[in-house]
Every structure is written in structure tokens, then in C-alpha cells.
Amino acid sequence: MISRQPNCVLHCLKVKEVDFLSFPLFGSEKNSDTRKLRAKWEFRVVLDGIHPSYMQVCGAKGPRPRYPRVWKTRNRIGTISKSAKLVDCIKELSNVKEEVYGALDSFIAWELEFPLITVKKALKTLEDQREWKRIIQVTKWMLSKGQGKTMGSYFTLLNALAEDGRLDEAEELWMKLFSENLESMPRVFFDKMVSIYYRRDMHEKMFEIFADMEELGIRPNTSIVKMVGDVFQKLGMLDKYEKLQKKYPPPKWEYRYIKGKRVRIRTKPSCESDDPGEAVNENDEKTDMNSKEMYDDIDGSVDAAEEPIYEVHNSS
């Protein structure tokens, strides 16, 4: 490494000496068969206008120092701070579609790839703040870019449309997803649609969703059984309510995720006097698409070929 002083001119670089020294690579120092070439370089710098006694000599020893590349920066912005900036960027805007989409396009203008993780974290932040209109705008903008076309994104959009009171758009999205994914529709979508219709007292459409689940062989979870049973009791269909409780008894065990690990715990006995609306609110807040329930009381009487509890053509 060459040491420099201000106002100095480098005149020459001179190799002073190159010597060969016996240096053992392996084993003890007595092994003279293995040798290593060690070149001792000494750079003599002749400085203009300075006395020769001030000439500095340094030897280049050890590995060559590595310097960071000029096109790489060490100050990187994480996805959390980027998502926070994205939320602040669109939060104070109006509800005009062109204005929101323009701000989102300018936010990702210099990105080499679409920042999908940043947008997902921003959607989660907006969901915690219950900004349903912004969630709808950001999700539709993301889908228009051809990014994030997953069932999780569609579920976020469906939930935001329902919470914002846009039931027609939510039903249109549900029918589109249901027709495209007839046999692979996640159960959480059925749970969401049943809860939407239950809150609005739309019993006929709620029974249609439940009939579709039975026809496809999708076992309803506890919240769906509780909501459907509550409607049967309100309408005086006690025979259907008893049949429902017999076919889908409450589970004794369920799986929950605690710190990333799936834990099997015993379920608490549910009281008949509980309000199913509270269970719906709790289920919406803690919806987990990976959660599964384990039923121990499944016998031969519960079969896919069994007569359905409610059929769509009976309601007409």
C-alpha cells in the first residue's frame, strides 16, 4: 500500500528485492521439500521538493484490501420502512382512482422488480387501521399489474369489499372465484361468505353457500355450523337443527399455531346460549388459512353420500 502526502508527485515505483525463502507449508519446519515463494516488494516513492530522508517505504504484505463496489450501496431500505412510506404516500390522497394509481406508479417507478413484499406489508398495515377503501384501491392496482394473483390477495379484497358495504362487488368476486376454482376453493372463503350473509340476515343465500359446501364434500368448521344452526332455530326448523348437530358434532380437539408451531389443544365446551355473532367477529379477526380442526367423533354415519341437510331447490 502506497502512503501519500499532500502536494506530492509520484515519480517512480521500484522493486527493491525479490528473495526466495524456505517456508514449510505443512508439518514441521524441518521439512525442506516444500517451499513457498515469498516476494517482498518495496515501493520507493520519490517525492518532489522533499528531502530524501523524508522518503517513505512501505512493504505490501498480506491480502490485497477489498473495497466495496461503487454500484452497490450499503444503506439499504428494508421492506418495513418502504411499506410505511407507501402507506403515508396514499393515506392523505383523495378517493379518485387516477390520483391513487398515479401515486402508486410513481412509488415503484425506480424499482427493478415489483415490490410485492412491500405492498403486502402495506396492505396488512392498512387492514390493521381498517382503511378498507385504500385496501380495495391498492389490491386492484396490484392485480391490474399482474402481480399477487393469489387466494390470499383475493380474500383480502373480498373482506375489504364486504366491510366497506360493497356487497354487489363482493358477490361478483365470489362467483368469479367459485366458478374458476370449483373443487379447490379454500374453506375460509365459504366461512367469509356465510358470515357476510349471516350479518345481513340473508338466510336464503346463506343456505345456498352451505348447500354448495355439502355438495362439494367440504366439511364446515365450528363457526359455520353455529351460524347455520342459529338460523335454523330462528326459522323454527328444529328437525334440520337436530340433524345438523348430529352430522357435525363439536370437535374435541383442534390445532392452533403458537410461535410457529402447530399445537393440539382441547376445545372448550360451547354453550347453547352464546351469541353466534360474537363467534363470527372473533373468527374474522383470527382467520388463519392454514388452521385445521381435528374431529374425533367421525363415524360411519357421517359420509359424503349422506342426504344433505339443506338443498337449494327446497328453498324455492
Side-chain angles (χ1 to χ4, degrees):
M1 183 176 181
I2 303 175
S3 59
R4 297 186 179 181
Q5 294 182 358
N7 301 327
C8 298
V9 180
L10 178 64
H11 280 287
C12 66
L13 289 175
K14 180 180 179 182
V15 179
K16 183 176 181 181
E17 63 172 310
V18 178
D19 57 344
F20 297 90
L21 300 178
S22 298
F23 186 81
L25 288 176
F26 307 98
S28 60
E29 297 182 358
K30 297 180 180 180
N31 187 3
S32 60
D33 296 335
T34 58
R35 294 175 177 272
K36 179 180 179 182
L37 174 64
R38 186 179 70 180
K40 183 177 181 182
W41 301 86
E42 188 173 285
F43 303 103
R44 185 177 302 276
V45 182
V46 180
L47 305 177
D48 189 13
I50 300 180
H51 195 270
S53 61
Y54 289 98
M55 289 188 299
Q56 300 182 6
V57 178
C58 59
K61 299 180 180 180
R64 182 167 59 91
R66 301 289 181 179
Y67 299 99
R69 307 298 184 187
V70 290
W71 61 84
K72 290 184 179 180
T73 176
R74 291 184 177 181
N75 299 326
R76 296 182 179 180
I77 303 177
T79 55
I80 298 178
S81 57
K82 279 186 178 181
S83 63
K85 289 183 178 179
L86 178 58
V87 172
D88 296 337
C89 176
I90 65 175
K91 199 170 183 181
E92 303 299 331
L93 299 178
S94 63
N95 291 326
V96 181
K97 176 181 176 181
E98 289 75 13
E99 183 178 356
V100 177
Y101 278 30
L104 292 172
D105 290 336
S106 62
F107 184 83
I108 65 168
W110 298 102
E111 297 287 344
L112 299 178
E113 297 180 356
F114 188 84
L116 186 59
I117 299 178
T118 302
V119 176
K120 289 284 188 178
K121 290 184 178 180
L123 288 173
K124 182 62 178 176
T125 304
L126 292 172
E127 188 175 0
D128 295 338
Q129 299 175 0
R130 305 183 68 84
E131 295 285 344
W132 306 119
K133 293 185 181 297
R134 296 304 183 196
I135 292 176
I136 296 171
Q137 293 168 348
V138 175
T139 307
K140 287 186 175 181
W141 167 79
M142 178 181 64
L143 296 175
S144 66
K145 298 293 182 180
Q147 303 290 334
K149 291 185 176 182
T150 61
M151 300 306 290
S153 300
Y154 288 122
F155 181 79
T156 302
L157 179 58
L158 180 65
N159 183 35
L161 289 172
E163 294 292 339
D164 196 39
R166 299 157 72 170
L167 185 59
D168 295 337
E169 295 185 31
E171 289 181 341
E172 183 181 357
L173 177 62
W174 158 253
M175 294 303 299
K176 176 179 179 295
L177 294 174
F178 185 66
S179 60
E180 293 178 355
N181 308 276
L182 184 60
E183 297 182 356
S184 61
M185 199 69 177
R187 188 174 59 181
V188 67
F189 282 85
F190 294 96
D191 191 5
K192 173 55 66 176
M193 293 305 298
V194 169
S195 64
I196 290 173
Y197 292 141
Y198 177 81
R199 290 176 178 178
R200 290 166 175 81
D201 294 331
M202 303 173 68
H203 300 154
E204 293 298 329
K205 292 187 176 181
M206 177 180 172
F207 291 151
E208 291 179 6
I209 300 295
F210 184 74
D212 291 336
M213 294 185 65
E214 286 197 319
E215 185 177 355
L216 294 174
I218 301 175
R219 188 180 183 89
N221 55 12
T222 309
S223 61
I224 295 179
V225 174
K226 185 176 291 187
M227 287 184 285
V228 174
D230 182 68
V231 174
F232 281 157
Q233 286 182 329
K234 287 181 179 179
L235 298 179
M237 301 179 180
L238 299 180
D239 54 340
K240 293 185 179 296
Y241 174 76
E242 294 176 359
K243 190 176 180 180
L244 177 69
Q245 295 297 324
K246 183 179 179 181
K247 186 175 181 180
Y248 303 110
K252 293 183 179 180
W253 303 90
E254 68 177 359
Y255 286 116
R256 290 186 182 178
Y257 289 86
I258 302 176
K259 295 183 179 180
K261 296 182 179 180
R262 193 172 71 166
V263 181
R264 176 188 172 188
I265 61 175
R266 184 179 293 274
T267 57
K268 296 181 180 179
S270 60
C271 299
E272 297 296 334
S273 60
D274 292 342
D275 186 11
E278 298 179 359
V280 173
N281 298 331
E282 183 179 357
N283 182 70
D284 290 343
E285 295 176 358
K286 299 181 179 180
T287 301
D288 187 1
M289 299 186 66
N290 296 325
S291 62
K292 296 180 180 179
E293 295 178 347
M294 186 180 65
Y295 294 83
D296 289 347
D297 295 339
I298 301 177
D299 51 5
S301 61
V302 180
D303 192 4
E306 189 179 355
E307 181 183 358
I309 297 176
Y310 191 90
E311 295 182 358
V312 179
H313 59 81
N314 290 337
S315 61
S316 58

